[in-house]
Amino acid sequence: MTNELISFEDALDAASAYGKKHLLLGNGFSIACKPDIFAYGSLFEEAKKTMSKELAAIFAAMGTQDFEEVIRALQHAAAIVKVYRPKLVSIKRLLLGDAEKLKTDLIQAVAGRHPSRPNDIADERYTACRSFLSNFVGEEANGKIYTMNYVLLLYWALMHEEADVTTRIALKHDDGFRKDQEDYDAAYVEWQGEGAAHSQNIHYLHGALHLFDAGYQLQKYTWVNTGKALVDQAKEALEENLFPVFVAEGNSKSKLTKIQHSAYLHHNFKSFAGVCQTKSRDGTALFVYGHSFAKNDAHVLNMIGNGKIAHLFVSLFGDPSSKVNQTICANIDKIVGLRPRAFPMLKVDCFDAASAKVWG
């Protein structure tokens, strides 16, 4: 693939040749809005407040602030201890317990640093975001949005229709949640499962901060039903030891295992697989914004290479020759290399992330 960047507008023009156009979002979507809050370093500082000395020391020893990297290391260490010292069951349990504790720390850090209210973000920024999203789920669009980003920003942008008084950006969005028919006045809405599959076009592949597993049903907390901010509801749930549907495993295999044990996550995963595997009459284009194509998300990304997506458009932030962007390009090349010979070759173009003006 070439390292030359095109503009987002040029990418859209190229994608107009295809019958379908979908969007996959990574953590860069939220970082682009609030880099001081959602960058991994910021989350680490928040989580460090309640983190054990041992876990903090592991971050320091590994020279990282990446939660997933440390979770992966703890899980690997537990497997190694089992081989070298099979009788040290307590050490194995301690390592795996700390891995689980770190997932909890991450969830609490996200809730603690997340903007408290939708109006903490200016209307014009929502308008810019809705304009970006309209290319995929607007009135004239027929695409779907998949996100590995777990914060509330996508949900807020989709619901922030009052910001469009002058621009009138209409979005068609359905995340599959409806009123609980047995408790119509409940403070939540419930996922309707496969019954909503036909109309659902918003898919949280790794869960989200406002989605909670109640055991017998998946619930989405809403402001409309309670008048209470979603972040406040999420914090209250955390205090009661109720946790969001949230994939924070350290490697792709572990993430996939968790996905397969959740009907909701598995449904979304299968939907993305269908998008990748189905060859529409005029072909399918996939836009990826804010993702580094790192191997810890191979369970999702490899489907792009193994499938029939005709054209992949990937955002790069800053100088395309930078070390970070060169690594991303190398990761993309590995995805391209997965394409079966029997399928059409996967075309790839990289577009300038800034030109998309996702948050203005």
Side-chain angles (χ1 to χ4, degrees):
M1 60 173 284
T2 177
N3 291 336
E4 294 183 5
L5 294 184
I6 62 175
S7 69
F8 181 61
E9 286 300 321
D10 286 342
L12 289 176
D13 286 343
S16 65
Y18 302 101
K20 295 283 187 179
K21 182 169 74 245
H22 305 295
L23 174 65
L24 174 64
L25 296 172
N27 286 336
F29 174 74
S30 55
I31 292 172
C33 180
K34 293 282 188 179
D36 57 326
I37 293 177
F38 292 116
Y40 261 130
S42 300
L43 293 177
F44 175 76
E45 291 303 320
E46 183 70 22
K48 193 175 179 180
K49 297 174 184 177
T50 57
M51 193 179 294
S52 70
K53 292 181 179 179
E54 290 82 5
L55 280 176
I58 291 172
F59 276 94
M62 293 181 62
T64 185
Q65 294 182 347
D66 187 325
F67 289 83
E68 291 188 343
E69 185 177 346
V70 175
I71 291 170
R72 183 165 61 247
L74 289 167
Q75 292 169 337
H76 287 173
I80 292 170
V81 166
K82 183 179 180 181
V83 172
Y84 279 90
R85 294 289 187 272
K87 294 183 179 180
L88 296 181
V89 177
S90 60
I91 297 298
K92 176 189 172 184
R93 289 175 178 169
L94 179 62
L95 290 166
L96 292 177
D98 276 353
E100 291 302 312
K101 172 66 165 58
L102 197 52
K103 297 175 195 176
T104 301
D105 288 341
L106 177 55
I107 293 171
Q108 292 174 332
V110 171
R113 294 299 295 269
H114 198 289
S116 296
R117 304 289 187 276
N119 58 14
D120 287 345
I121 299 168
D123 281 352
E124 56 266 25
R125 303 198 76 189
Y126 282 119
T127 298
C129 186
R130 289 173 62 85
S131 178
F132 169 73
L133 298 175
S134 70
N135 293 293
F136 309 95
V137 294
E139 285 189 315
E140 303 300 321
N142 60 357
K144 297 182 178 181
I145 295 177
Y146 298 89
T147 178
M148 288 185 271
N149 189 294
Y150 44 75
V151 301
L152 297 175
L153 298 185
L154 174 61
Y155 177 69
W156 282 354
L158 290 170
M159 300 299 293
H160 207 75
E161 297 176 355
E162 63 269 27
D164 297 333
V165 174
T166 57
T167 53
R168 298 187 183 281
I169 301 170
L171 300 180
K172 299 180 297 182
H173 55 92
D174 184 348
D175 57 10
F177 286 83
R178 307 286 189 273
K179 285 277 191 179
D180 185 341
Q181 296 303 307
E182 296 183 3
D183 188 2
Y184 201 75
D185 295 324
Y188 58 84
V189 289
E190 65 171 349
W191 182 58
Q192 294 293 310
E194 299 294 337
H198 180 71
S199 60
Q200 185 177 347
N201 65 349
I202 306 297
H203 300 267
Y204 291 88
L205 294 172
H206 286 167
L209 191 59
H210 61 308
L211 307 180
F212 285 78
D213 190 348
Y216 63 97
Q217 64 181 180
L218 186 73
Q219 300 174 352
K220 181 179 77 172
Y221 286 12
T222 69
W223 179 88
V224 174
N225 288 16
T226 64
K228 185 181 296 184
L230 293 175
V231 172
D232 291 343
Q233 295 182 57
K235 287 179 180 177
E236 289 176 4
L238 288 170
E239 290 171 359
E240 297 174 6
N241 292 320
L242 298 175
F243 296 95
V245 176
F246 188 96
V247 177
E249 271 60 23
N251 58 62
S252 178
K253 184 178 180 180
S254 296
K255 287 180 178 180
L256 181 57
T257 298
K258 183 162 185 176
I259 288 169
Q260 290 173 333
H261 283 80
S262 165
Y264 170 75
L265 295 177
H266 193 222
H267 165 76
N268 292 341
F269 182 78
K270 288 191 299 180
S271 175
F272 186 72
V275 162
C276 291
Q277 289 294 336
T278 302
K279 185 179 184 301
S280 65
R281 184 178 64 180
D282 297 317
T284 301
L286 176 66
F287 282 69
V288 179
Y289 181 89
H291 201 287
S292 64
F293 279 75
K295 64 180 181 180
N296 55 8
D297 284 326
H299 58 291
V300 173
L301 301 171
N302 284 357
M303 289 192 285
I304 301 171
N306 288 319
K308 299 175 183 178
I309 295 291
H311 205 147
L312 179 64
F313 297 91
V314 182
S315 72
L316 293 182
F317 182 78
D319 184 356
S321 63
S322 70
K323 185 177 179 179
V324 170
N325 284 332
Q326 286 297 302
T327 299
I328 294 174
C329 291
N331 292 340
I332 295 171
D333 284 338
K334 292 177 183 177
I335 297 297
V336 173
L338 297 174
R339 181 57 55 96
R341 292 185 178 181
F343 295 172
M345 184 176 66
L346 175 60
K347 298 179 182 178
V348 180
D349 277 300
C350 292
F351 64 91
D352 179 12
S355 70
K357 300 178 180 179
V358 174
W359 292 102

